[in-house]
């Protein structure tokens, strides 16, 4: 069952039924001011940090679902009937409900009793505000007299404190209302120099800023007493819950359309100019007023919207493909790239599943996300890399997370996730291949943000590599620490106390439990580091790294192989994890995908065997599950993984983040059909028709789809903020379509399905536009390339040396 459809031409998903299985959201903003918006107007806004600078309130896991947002109400002042064009919060049975989620904007509306209305929500580039452009059309044969209301609920800035500290917060709320603009200034009198505002382009017929005055006693957003009565009360909030509500009266002749613009914004004043007049307690509005005036003008709004469109045209235009498969095209050209940008902006902080008050930026997560967005925002990727590296510890280890506002490592979680440091090598390597900007390796970067500890970034990578060599276990495999990529395989934790964190509890000495996954990652990262060192003029170092990689490769083949597949780990007793000898959890996906993608066992048949076993034991029609059989009970020696009921999350769920490892592994063996088949199983667009089962948005990946052991096999959860976005983008773009960045140029090495006659693509790479056409003449993966009509050797297109910025590449597969 579908709840809408794709409009690829406009890069929109059009939802036509408001009660989607879950709120289907979109993101507004791409720089500093952000919002989440659901298909019925729910969601919230914040400036930079979803926890510390929350602008509006949102109550997660609310009953009913998804209440609180950017709500517009219309009231027919003749009949006294009122409704909300976005369905929520009044949930009237309107006609033609549509929500168009586009690139950085959403347009939501419907028609009720002949009055059509939709609201376009977006954040203009380079501004810290959002615009709601409300359009109302009278399709009746008679004149309509309408009151339009717009409302939001302010958050008292720190979202965590706001939902817990009521003894204080019920007394601190403060607002000012001046010239029809509502200013929210809680805590401005003391240490904050920022405030929020809510403005309207038309003269208003009233406002409210105290929630209870607006809603009425014991009422909800579905039935505000003031909207019902048709008159706001001009309340001025003091304490309790400040809101912003405006009322505008419209007279619409038959067929007439009118627009109203509302602007919700965030503003910071210089500390010494907070008040006007100086010495008073009144917010100085001189700096913000011109900004407000600018966006209350329709012409500015329309041109700002056009600029936003152009921005996304530019970003997405860097890589566009035309293949025989519409799901591939749509995800590569539009939605997967867009989701990668959401992970760049949000990391794992704010979604419908991430409350914005939990995790900071993950070291591992953010480095992997680079794989998906580095070509779209290379200079911001550079900054991200340097920020991440600055939280690295002198040992080469890393804080697991850092806070985006302070850019400091997060002490509550700490480090000792022994895979973390290697992801820095993977991230930097992706950046170097994309940009060719070798100067980044010379950047002086501190450890643990300590001034005086700076070394060139290259040394950070060396320490990352050395970190594992300093932490080898009894079999010569890397010690796992608190966990590796799988946060829930906690082999040194042994927790028997409810509520204790699996991530931070460590009560074993950590000298026994080893990870085959980290071994695979070490091989991948070590090979990358060797190539980087060679390019960087350090050939002797490169040799050393390769020798260590060869040793680890041999150790994996000796101690990390179970006969039919790669083992997952050794636990604290030295017993195998992910082995046929285990009662449960006999085979895991991570080492199969990752060891093969790292190139282990390609020559001697181990890789092929591992992938056959994956197909046989782990593949389902909804994707590849994480392990089998699932853990049916809690294992003290394994930790959080066995805390989940079978089929969910790491306990045999389909973890969409690691499926692309197997996809890439299949391409390494030349299996284009298998790779693309796996790709489609979790591709959200390809799952659109089963929307009632899948339940999450059909335009973005979810972290997890319930595995075959769960009652709801095929049901997705945790959409948007997941490494799944970057890895799937990387797998399809760079390995199946094979348009792959390398240190020496753009490689063209497709491993596509046999049935495809070919495909075309355009890729901007280091300032040059490559127009690529691949034609299949035989069933294999052997490629013959011509560049601007001339045949070349090999599969790497060398960058033009004569200043050309357009290159035409033709490839013939045989
Ligand atoms: C989550 C985490 C990621 C981890 C994965 C597997 O997606 O963000 O860091 O690797 O779960 O546990
Ligand atoms: C839980 C989740 C895992 C996630 C982690 C983040 O362990 O199962 O997927 O990575 O929390 O801290």
């Amino acid at each position: 069952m579908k709840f809408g459809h794709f409009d690829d031409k406009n890069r929109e998903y059009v939802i036509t039924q408001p009660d989607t299985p879950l709120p289907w959201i979109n993101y507004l903003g791409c720089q500093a001011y952000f919002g989440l918006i659901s298909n019925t107007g729910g969601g919230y806004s914040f400036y930079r940090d979803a926890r510390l600078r929350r602008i509006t309130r949102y109550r997660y896991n609310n009953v009913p679902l998804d209440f609180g947002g950017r709500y517009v109400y219309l009231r027919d002042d003749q009949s006294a009937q009122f409704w909300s064009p976005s369905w929520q919060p009044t949930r009237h049975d309107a006609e033609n409900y549509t929500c168009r989620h586009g690139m950085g904007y959403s347009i939501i509306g419907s028609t009720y009793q002949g009055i059509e209305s939709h609201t376009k929500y977006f954040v203009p580039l380079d501004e810290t505000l959002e615009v709601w452009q409300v359009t109302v059309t009278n399709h009746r044969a008679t004149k309509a007299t309408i009151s339009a209301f717009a409302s939001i609920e302010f958050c008292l800035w720190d979202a965590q404190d706001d939902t817990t500290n009521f003894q204080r917060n019920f007394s601190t709320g403060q607002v000012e209302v001046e010239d029809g603009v509502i200013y929210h200034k809680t805590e401005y009198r003391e240490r904050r120099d920022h405030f929020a505002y809510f403005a309207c382009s038309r003269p208003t017929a009233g406002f409210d800023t105290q929630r209870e005055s607006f809603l009425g006693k014991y009422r909800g957003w579905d039935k505000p007493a003031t909207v019902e009565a048709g008159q706001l009360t001009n309340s001025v909030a003091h304490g309790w819950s400040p809101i912003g509500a405006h009322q505008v009266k419209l007279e619409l002749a038959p067929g007439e359309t009118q627009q109203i613009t509302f602007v919700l914004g965030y503003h910071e004043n210089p500390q010494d100019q907070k008040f006007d007049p100086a010495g008073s307690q009144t917010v100085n509005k001189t700096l913000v007023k011109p900004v407000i005036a600018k966006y209350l003008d329709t012409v500015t709004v329309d041109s700002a919207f056009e600029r936003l469109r152009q921005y996304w045209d530019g970003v997405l235009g860097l890589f566009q493909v035309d293949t025989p498969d519409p799901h591939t095209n749509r995800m590569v050209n539009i939605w997967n790239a867009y989701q990668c940008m959401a992970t760049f902006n949000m990391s794992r902080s704010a979604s419908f599943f991430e409350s914005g008050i939990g995790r900071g930026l993950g070291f591992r997560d953010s480095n992997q996300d680079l794989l998906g967005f580095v070509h779209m925002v290379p200079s911001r990727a550079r900054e991200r890399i340097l920020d991440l590296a600055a939280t690295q510890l002198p040992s080469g280890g890393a804080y697991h997370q850092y806070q985006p506002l302070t850019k400091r490592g997060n002490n509550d979680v700490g480090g000792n996730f022994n895979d973390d440091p290697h992801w820095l090598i993977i991230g930097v390597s992706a950046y170097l291949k994309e940009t060719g900007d070798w100067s980044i390796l010379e950047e002086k970067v501190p450890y643990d943000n300590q001034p005086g500890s700076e070394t060139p970034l290259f040394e950070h990578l060396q320490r990352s590599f050395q970190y594992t060599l300093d932490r080898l276990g009894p079999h010569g495999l890397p010690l796992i620490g608190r966990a590796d990529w799988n946060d829930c395989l906690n082999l040194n934790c042994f927790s028997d106390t409810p509520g204790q964190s699996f991530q931070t509890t460590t009560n074993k000495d950590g000298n026994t439990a080893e990870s085959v996954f980290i071994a695979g990652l070490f091989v991948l990262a070590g090979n990358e580091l060797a190539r980087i060192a060679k390019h960087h003029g350090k050939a002797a170092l490169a040799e050393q790294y390769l020798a260590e990689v060869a040793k680890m490769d041999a150790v994996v083949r000796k101690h990390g192989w179970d006969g039919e597949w790669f083992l997952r780990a050794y636990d604290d007793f030295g017993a195998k994890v992910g082995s046929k000898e285990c009662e449960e959890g006999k085979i895991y996906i991570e080492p199969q995908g990752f060891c093969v993608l790292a190139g282990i066992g390609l020559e001697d048949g181990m890789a092929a065997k591992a992938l056959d076993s994956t197909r046989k034991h782990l593949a389902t029609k909804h994707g590849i599950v994480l392990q089998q059989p699932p853990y049916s009970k809690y294992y003290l020696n394994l930790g959080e993984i066995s805390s989940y009921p079978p089929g969910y999350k790491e306990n045999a769920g389909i973890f969409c983040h690691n499926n692309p490892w197997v996809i890439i592994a299949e391409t390494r063996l030349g299996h284009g059909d298998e790779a693309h088949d796996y790709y489609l199983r979790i591709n959200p667009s390809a799952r659109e028709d089963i929307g009632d089962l899948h339940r999450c948005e059909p335009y973005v990946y979810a972290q997890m789809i319930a595995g075959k052991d769960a009652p709801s096999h095929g049901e997705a959860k945790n959409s948007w903020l997941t490494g799944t976005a970057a890895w799937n983008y990387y797998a399809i773009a760079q390995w199946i379509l094979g348009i792959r960045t390398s240190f020496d140029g753009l490689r063209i090495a497709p491993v596509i399905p046999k049935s495809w006659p070919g495909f075309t693509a355009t890729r901007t790479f280091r300032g040059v536009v490559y127009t690529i056409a691949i034609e299949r003449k035989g069933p294999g993966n052997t490629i013959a390339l011509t560049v601007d009509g001339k045949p070349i050797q090999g599969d790497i297109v060398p960058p033009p040396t004569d200043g050309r910025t357009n290159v035409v590449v033709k490839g013939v597969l045989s």
Side-chain angles (χ1 to χ4, degrees):
M1 176 177 178
K2 300 213 285 187
F3 297 86
H5 59 267
F6 286 93
D7 177 350
D8 293 338
K9 206 173 133 270
N10 288 308
R11 297 193 174 118
E12 290 172 341
Y13 190 80
V14 186
I15 301 164
T16 50
Q17 184 176 326
D19 55 339
T20 45
L22 294 168
W24 284 2
I25 72 161
N26 191 16
Y27 287 92
L28 308 175
C30 53
Q31 292 157 322
Y33 184 103
F34 297 103
L36 280 76
I37 184 162
S38 75
N39 56 306
T40 57
Y44 60 94
S45 300
F46 58 93
Y47 173 75
R48 286 195 193 276
D49 187 312
R51 171 169 173 184
L52 298 174
R53 291 280 196 285
R54 188 77 68 96
I55 295 167
T56 56
R57 274 193 185 143
Y58 187 72
R59 292 174 185 80
Y60 273 91
N61 199 9
N62 206 352
V63 179
L65 199 58
D66 190 32
F67 246 60
R70 303 170 182 84
Y71 291 144
V72 173
Y73 304 84
L74 297 183
R75 179 179 188 274
D76 183 331
D77 286 336
Q78 282 144 334
S79 69
Q81 290 217 38
F82 66 93
W83 69 98
S84 35
S86 59
W87 192 63
Q88 288 261 53
T90 66
R91 292 195 295 257
H92 278 72
D93 220 349
E95 296 154 55
N96 299 328
Y97 159 87
T98 44
C99 165
R100 293 182 165 268
H101 281 323
M103 304 288 104
Y105 67 88
S106 293
I107 304 170
I108 313 175
S110 60
T111 302
Y112 190 70
Q113 295 185 349
I115 305 295
E116 181 192 338
S117 174
H118 49 261
T119 304
K120 183 196 274 178
Y121 300 94
F122 73 101
V123 175
L125 291 171
D126 305 319
E127 300 288 2
T128 58
L129 56 87
E130 65 187 66
V131 170
W132 312 2
Q133 195 179 42
V134 182
T135 306
V136 188
T137 302
N138 177 13
H139 292 294
R140 296 178 185 165
T142 53
K143 188 178 88 174
T145 311
I146 303 286
S147 276
F149 301 85
S151 65
I152 43 107
E153 183 175 7
F154 291 111
C155 180
L156 309 189
W157 303 116
D158 179 337
Q160 164 89 13
D161 188 74
D162 187 65
T163 49
T164 46
N165 193 8
F166 305 109
Q167 60 80 23
R168 168 180 163 87
N169 295 338
F170 284 168
S171 295
T172 57
Q174 285 193 302
V175 298
E176 287 177 29
V177 184
E178 194 181 304
D179 300 335
V181 181
I182 295 166
Y183 297 88
H184 173 230
K185 61 165 192 176
T186 299
E187 292 189 350
Y188 190 78
R189 67 198 305 280
E190 25 124 353
R191 291 156 295 177
R192 294 186 187 276
D193 44 21
H194 44 264
F195 57 88
Y197 55 88
F198 192 43
C200 173
S201 63
R202 299 254 191 145
T204 58
F207 64 86
D208 266 305
T209 67
Q210 187 67 286
R211 192 179 70 201
E212 197 186 71
S213 309
F214 175 67
L215 295 180
K217 277 201 272 184
Y218 292 93
R219 290 204 187 207
W221 296 91
D222 55 335
K223 227 178 167 197
T226 49
V227 175
E228 192 177 79
Q231 186 57 55
L232 296 186
T233 69
N234 295 353
S235 59
V236 177
H238 44 88
W240 299 112
S241 290
I243 62 152
H246 290 295
Q247 177 179 6
V248 176
K249 295 215 177 209
L250 303 174
E251 296 257 311
L252 294 155
E256 191 185 352
T257 297
Q258 292 189 26
Q259 276 189 336
I260 317 166
T261 305
F262 297 95
V263 174
L264 173 64
Y266 169 93
H267 187 82
E268 275 174 20
N269 270 339
Q271 225 158 48
D272 55 352
Q273 294 171 46
K274 277 176 66 165
F275 301 107
D276 179 28
S280 77
Q281 288 293 298
T282 311
V283 172
N284 176 4
K285 305 175 187 85
T286 47
L287 294 168
V288 77
K289 274 187 174 163
V291 183
I292 298 176
K294 190 171 157 197
Y295 285 95
L296 292 179
D297 173 359
T298 313
V299 179
T300 319
V301 169
D302 290 343
S303 67
F305 187 69
E306 192 44 41
R307 251 190 92 207
L308 184 68
R309 275 217 189 251
Q310 283 165 7
Y311 167 81
W312 281 106
D313 283 350
V315 166
L316 300 179
L318 297 168
F319 185 51
Q320 290 286 297
V321 300
D322 188 5
T323 78
D325 175 47
H327 306 299
T328 301
N329 298 343
R330 174 179 289 152
M331 291 310 288
V332 173
N333 295 340
I334 308 168
W335 290 100
N336 195 1
Y338 183 64
Q339 186 180 1
C340 286
M341 287 300 291
T343 65
F344 166 65
N345 288 319
M346 299 288 128
S347 187
R348 306 292 175 268
S349 70
S351 71
F352 184 70
F353 299 84
E354 299 278 9
S355 61
I357 56 180
R359 299 196 251 174
L361 267 78
F363 192 88
R364 171 204 295 143
D365 294 334
S366 296
N367 275 303
Q368 287 176 76
D369 290 347
L370 276 159
L371 292 171
F373 66 70
V374 64
H375 68 294
M376 294 188 273
V377 280
S379 62
R380 296 174 78 192
R382 190 181 207 272
E383 182 189 350
R384 179 64 57 81
I385 287 172
L386 298 176
D387 288 345
L388 285 162
T391 66
Q392 192 178 21
L393 298 161
S395 64
Y399 282 102
H400 197 47
Q401 297 166 359
Y402 79 89
Q403 295 309 122
L405 214 61
T406 61
K407 296 190 173 180
R408 294 293 149 114
N410 180 339
N411 264 317
D412 300 342
V413 183
N416 293 335
F417 293 75
N418 283 352
D419 65 314
D420 271 338
H422 292 290
W423 297 113
L424 182 64
I425 302 178
I426 304 294
V428 171
S429 160
Y431 174 79
L432 291 172
K433 288 175 180 169
E434 181 64 43
T435 61
D437 167 24
W438 291 86
S439 74
I440 194 172
L441 294 180
E442 302 294 347
E443 285 285 343
K444 292 273 201 317
V445 184
Y447 295 85
D448 197 4
N449 292 104
Q450 291 308 310
S453 67
E454 294 82 0
T455 71
L457 179 66
F458 181 70
E459 189 174 326
H460 282 256
L461 306 187
Q462 292 182 278
R463 293 197 197 183
S464 290
F465 189 71
Q466 187 62 38
Y467 179 84
T468 289
L469 292 175
D470 294 342
R471 286 166 184 76
L472 295 177
H475 299 91
L477 290 161
L479 292 170
I480 196 168
R482 282 179 170 165
D484 58 24
W485 172 87
N486 190 329
D487 273 336
C488 300
L489 189 62
N490 315 116
L491 303 182
N492 291 305
C493 164
F494 287 65
S495 171
D496 56 9
T497 306
Q500 217 168 38
S501 160
F502 290 107
Q503 315 265 310
T504 56
T505 303
T506 305
N507 46 32
K508 295 290 157 183
D509 66 11
N511 291 324
T512 307
E514 299 167 290
S515 162
V516 177
F517 170 81
I518 300 183
L521 177 58
F522 177 90
V523 167
L524 183 76
N527 277 321
E528 292 298 312
L529 183 59
R531 284 184 206 122
I532 293 171
K534 202 164 150 223
H535 262 260
H536 200 46
K538 299 191 159 62
L541 271 179
E543 290 307 316
Q544 271 178 40
Y545 296 145
L546 290 177
E548 295 296 350
V549 164
K551 254 196 256 167
M552 187 65 79
D553 186 290
V555 172
V556 171
R557 265 106 69 73
K558 182 144 185 245
H559 296 295
W561 182 248
D562 199 48
E564 301 282 321
W565 55 77
F566 292 102
L567 282 176
R568 179 60 177 87
Y570 289 93
D571 70 11
D572 183 60
F573 306 108
K576 293 173 183 170
V577 179
S579 158
K580 57 180 179 293
E581 293 166 23
C582 304
E583 221 169 280
E584 301 187 316
K586 290 173 191 286
I587 171 172
Y588 276 67
I589 190 175
E590 300 102 306
Q592 322 314 327
F594 222 86
C595 290
V596 179
L597 90 78
I600 302 174
L602 289 177
E603 268 96 53
D604 58 12
M606 273 183 182
K609 241 189 209 167
L611 294 190
D612 284 348
S613 298
T614 303
R615 177 167 300 276
K616 188 162 155 206
H617 300 291
L618 301 178
T620 78
K621 66 175 180 186
H622 296 296
I624 312 166
V625 299
L626 196 142
Q627 103 277 15
Q628 278 294 293
Y631 296 113
S632 60
K633 55 177 191 279
Y634 177 56
Y635 288 77
L636 195 62
N637 59 322
L638 300 179
E640 184 170 1
I641 189 167
S642 59
S643 76
Y644 286 113
Y648 292 117
K649 296 280 282 181
E650 283 86 342
N651 189 13
I654 295 156
F655 222 84
C656 299
H657 179 151
N658 56 31
N659 278 225
W661 301 346
V662 176
I663 295 172
I664 298 171
E666 291 285 1
T667 67
R668 294 221 58 179
L669 289 172
H671 300 160
D673 282 333
E674 286 78 358
H676 197 259
D677 171 29
Y678 281 141
Y679 171 75
L680 281 184
R681 294 187 201 196
I682 59 169
N683 179 306
S685 160
R687 299 174 62 78
E688 187 192 16
D689 289 341
I690 52 166
D692 37 351
L693 173 65
H694 184 79
R695 288 172 45 92
C696 279
E697 297 92 333
Y699 41 92
V700 290
Y701 285 96
Q703 179 202 56
M704 185 205 59
I705 296 173
K708 60 184 172 187
D709 308 290
S712 57
H713 183 33
E715 180 189 18
K717 284 181 194 161
N718 200 1
S719 54
W720 282 97
L721 303 182
T722 157
T724 308
W727 274 104
N728 277 284
Y729 189 80
Y730 179 65
I732 184 72
Q734 302 219 16
W735 294 90
I736 296 181
L737 302 178
I739 302 177
R740 185 147 81 246
T741 59
S742 83
F743 297 116
D744 305 311
L746 195 60
R747 189 187 297 268
I748 315 285
V751 184
I752 54 175
K754 288 199 186 64
S755 63
W756 283 17
F759 68 93
T760 59
T762 53
R763 172 66 152 92
T764 303
F765 175 66
R766 302 190 196 169
V768 177
V769 180
Y770 292 78
T771 306
I772 302 161
I774 305 296
E775 193 190 343
R776 188 183 267 305
K777 290 215 168 133
N781 304 311
T782 309
I783 188 118
L785 293 177
T786 57
V787 176
D788 290 328
K790 293 191 205 78
I792 63 159
Q793 291 293 310
D795 59 7
I796 296 183
V797 183
T801 47
D802 55 3
R804 270 174 309 147
T805 52
N806 280 284
V807 170
V808 175
V809 182
K810 289 207 158 54
V812 173
L813 283 176
S814 59

